[in-house]
Amino acid sequence: VSGRSSLVEECALEWMCSLMFRGLSNGSSQVPTRFADIINLSLGGTEVCDGQQEVVDRLTEKGIVVIAAAGNDATTIPLYPASLEGVISVSATTINDELAYYSSYGSTVDLAAPGGDLTVDSDNNGDPDGVLSTAMIVSSGSSVQTNTYEYSQGTSMASPQR
């Protein structure tokens, strides 16, 4: 969540501002035919950008649920847009239902969910306790894309992705 470029955040917020959720292409090369019901954001920063709260207000007034990862800085410093009013902010827990060592936390967090921990194998199954997620691998110097699964961790993994 933290460390993302401000350009990524600006583009995401510009997209949010448009409220034009149908007709946008996506990674599957398919174009959605209906509006989004839920927006899940895995980005953020410590400063509130102009208009962010107004965008969230407009979205929630339309019945759209906005969810955002709380951050991976192990601090109570609020990150935005996760800490905006009306956004469901999600922190991460371990397989043992404890706060993950990297997860941001505090009064702006609304809920916690499994976010993984790649440093341990608490269940002794031979795999790290991460969240198994889809991934796209692009070989260096190649444009060939391979879809696969890999273990990951973070508040982005804890946030609902579907």
Side-chain angles (χ1 to χ4, degrees):
V1 173
S2 64
R4 301 275 185 168
S5 74
S6 61
L7 179 59
V8 170
E9 185 171 292
E10 288 174 24
C11 290
L13 291 172
E14 182 177 319
W15 176 73
M16 284 174 58
C17 287
S18 71
L19 297 177
M20 301 289 289
F21 300 110
R22 68 178 165 185
L24 297 176
S25 62
N26 59 38
S28 69
S29 299
Q30 298 175 350
V31 177
T33 58
R34 49 176 276 195
F35 288 99
D37 296 318
I38 300 170
I39 298 172
N40 183 33
L41 301 165
S42 294
L43 51 85
T46 56
E47 296 181 22
V48 180
C49 295
D50 288 342
Q52 277 185 328
Q53 186 62 63
E54 290 80 10
V55 170
V56 170
D57 292 345
R58 287 175 51 203
L59 292 169
T60 56
E61 285 170 9
K62 291 182 175 289
I64 297 170
V65 177
V66 182
I67 302 168
N72 300 315
D73 297 323
T75 181
T76 60
I77 297 171
L79 290 184
Y80 300 91
S83 296
L84 293 171
E85 188 69 32
V87 174
I88 300 170
S89 178
V90 183
S91 66
T93 61
T94 66
I95 195 170
N96 297 317
D97 203 26
E98 299 168 342
L99 185 68
Y101 71 90
Y102 53 81
S103 183
S104 294
Y105 57 96
S107 63
T108 60
V109 172
D110 296 300
L111 61 96
D117 183 348
L118 298 178
T119 66
V120 297
D121 179 13
S122 298
D123 58 0
N124 297 312
N125 69 352
D127 293 315
D129 291 344
V131 175
L132 189 60
S133 184
T134 56
M136 183 185 328
I137 309 295
V138 180
S139 301
S140 180
S142 171
S143 62
V144 177
Q145 299 175 351
T146 304
N147 295 317
T148 188
Y149 296 95
E150 65 183 21
Y151 288 98
S152 191
Q153 71 178 26
T155 57
S156 294
M157 297 290 100
S159 297
Q161 296 190 21
R162 278 223 170 231

